[in-house]
Amino acid sequence: MHSVAAHALDEIAGATGLDGLEAVRALYLGRGDGLLTIFRKQLGAVVDPQARRQLGQTVNELCERTAKALEERRAALEAAVRTRQLEIEALDLTRPAPRLCRGSLHPVTKILREVRRIFAQLGYSAASGPEIEYDRYNFTLVNMPPGHPSRETQATFFIDEWRVLRTQTSPVQIRSMIQHGAPQRIIAPGKTFRRDYDATHFPMFHQIEGLCIDEGVSLGDLKGTLEYFARSLFGPDRGIRFRPHHFEFTEPSLEVDISCMVCGGDGCKTCKHSGWLEVLGAGMVHPIVLRNGGIDPEIYSGFAFGVGAERLAQLLYVIEDGRLVYENDVRYLRQG
Ligand code: DAH
């Protein structure tokens, strides 16, 4: 009996897992046929009551000692399991965190938003028009009638006989005039499309159209507005200058240069040593266009301008190769 108990204690001490320990328990203390349990069951067969009591006491002691050893071993094994688990799941808060790649807005998106914000401060409302536009709105109503040679300069994607992918945001002028009449001030950023694809041209690009109509609007208003715009976007020292140009929908028409923000006007590679950068087309809205929009040119006058967003992004972020704008090189996109 004592040697059975001694074996039990040895095996309990040697058990390395909870399953093994349970097997040892069943072997020695199992309800029906545990090796120690059997001694207890056989007590009834001892005839002498004195001897039976003594024997019973011994069996009980051995069973209790074994049960206690089992319990202690179980607690120790469970603690070891828990410790190992904690080791596996340990979090080292002093380790550097993995670098997260956060997305950012595309430089062109930022330009569109920034220009809209600048003009919002001057009281301009945001306007938009469809990218699939009627030929009539894209051309005819902005004074580029069918057969007019100027249409040829805007390599057009035709959808069908009546519709095109808009080649410019200028049709938004007409839509806005028809919808809101005069006076009004709008800024209309959006996608435009032309059949061009080379180092400096993409088939899809963005323009921002501006339109201001009221009584007595003058060229001076246009100049002041664009000067404010150039300074807001490119810094307080920017100047602008007008050069005569020709657009069908404005009269007079101008191209607008801003003083080079790279060299401050002294001349550098970016401005091809002229000190000036061409950025906008602009002019006083042609009376025919006002009339096409349902506005009386005898009462109202207005100015309009159109600017390429990619060009502004290129200038603002000083990007030498314009193709980078749409090549999705993350090094370029992260600059924003
Ligand atoms: N629509 C012209 C273009 O795509 C840009 C432009 C020039 C817009 C003069 C205007 C403007 O509103 O007044 O080349």
Side-chain angles (χ1 to χ4, degrees):
M1 193 161 71
H2 280 282
S3 73
V4 172
H7 268 117
L9 292 181
D10 275 353
E11 286 188 43
I12 289 167
T16 52
L18 287 169
D19 289 346
L21 192 66
E22 173 55 22
V24 175
R25 191 200 62 77
L27 179 64
Y28 291 93
L29 292 180
R31 227 168 233 278
D33 57 356
L35 295 177
L36 287 169
T37 318
I38 287 170
F39 284 120
R40 189 182 267 150
K41 284 194 168 170
Q42 285 172 347
L43 279 177
V46 179
V47 184
D48 177 24
Q50 178 87 25
R52 190 167 62 216
R53 201 177 318 119
Q54 258 188 3
L55 215 58
Q57 215 170 1
T58 309
V59 172
N60 276 345
E61 269 173 27
L62 291 176
C63 285
E64 270 167 31
R65 205 182 305 154
T66 310
K68 193 162 167 259
L70 274 168
E71 212 31 65
E72 284 169 3
R73 186 74 188 137
R74 166 168 296 120
L77 288 174
E78 281 174 354
V81 168
R82 221 174 307 128
T83 306
R84 207 170 320 131
Q85 194 68 24
L86 285 176
E87 273 168 16
I88 292 168
E89 293 173 2
L91 263 186
D92 181 356
L93 295 179
T94 64
R95 288 185 57 182
R99 249 179 65 113
L100 291 180
C101 281
R102 276 198 293 158
S104 57
L105 292 176
H106 192 279
V108 172
T109 306
K110 289 182 143 181
I111 289 283
L112 296 175
R113 291 189 181 183
E114 181 61 11
V115 174
R116 208 164 42 195
R117 192 189 64 78
I118 292 169
F119 279 96
Q121 286 178 337
L122 294 175
Y124 284 63
S125 320
S128 64
E131 289 165 11
I132 295 176
E133 183 56 282
Y134 290 109
D135 177 294
R136 203 170 126 73
Y137 283 86
N138 192 78
F139 291 124
T140 311
L141 293 178
V142 292
N143 207 20
M144 298 164 83
H148 196 284
S150 64
R151 284 186 170 218
E152 302 296 315
T153 63
Q154 303 200 353
T156 309
F157 287 112
F158 287 94
I159 303 283
D160 54 30
E161 210 179 319
W162 305 281
R163 292 175 305 168
V164 300
L165 289 184
R166 68 177 176 193
T167 59
Q168 50 188 358
T169 43
S170 300
V172 181
Q173 291 188 29
I174 296 291
R175 287 180 173 273
S176 183
M177 284 186 222
I178 291 171
Q179 202 179 346
H180 301 297
Q184 64 165 292
R185 269 175 279 182
I186 57 152
I187 188 83
K191 289 186 167 65
T192 48
F193 308 85
R194 291 188 199 179
R195 272 188 306 109
D196 269 340
Y197 195 21
D198 60 36
T200 51
H201 294 95
F202 275 84
M204 188 282 295
F205 54 104
H206 295 80
Q207 285 190 342
I208 305 160
E209 193 83 11
L211 175 69
C212 166
I213 300 174
D214 207 336
E215 289 179 44
V217 171
S218 71
L219 209 55
D221 297 319
L222 173 60
K223 187 163 188 215
T225 302
L226 292 180
E227 212 150 52
Y228 174 82
F229 163 66
R231 288 187 183 142
S232 303
L233 191 62
F234 290 111
D237 301 327
R238 301 284 67 78
I240 66 166
R241 73 172 183 188
F242 287 166
R243 271 182 297 106
H245 199 73
H246 176 261
F247 297 105
E248 286 66 31
F249 28 86
T250 42
E251 180 57 38
S253 298
L254 316 149
E255 270 193 340
V256 183
D257 299 336
I258 65 166
S259 58
C260 180
M261 73 289 296
V262 178
C263 62
D266 297 338
C268 67
K269 219 172 87 189
T270 304
C271 61
K272 298 198 184 87
H273 303 283
S274 70
W276 294 95
L277 294 160
E278 178 199 322
V279 283
L280 293 138
M284 300 306 291
V285 182
H286 199 295
I288 290 180
V289 174
L290 285 174
R291 212 170 281 127
N292 288 343
I295 290 171
D296 185 351
E298 300 295 330
I299 304 173
Y300 293 102
S301 60
F303 63 74
F305 57 89
V307 52
E310 283 75 6
R311 170 101 177 124
L312 292 181
Q314 204 175 349
L315 293 175
L316 192 59
Y317 301 117
V318 192
I319 302 155
E320 305 240 334
D321 185 347
R323 274 176 296 191
L324 275 173
V325 175
Y326 288 123
E327 275 178 356
N328 290 339
D329 183 329
V330 289
R331 288 170 301 179
Y332 164 78
L333 296 175
R334 284 215 183 104
Q335 294 183 110

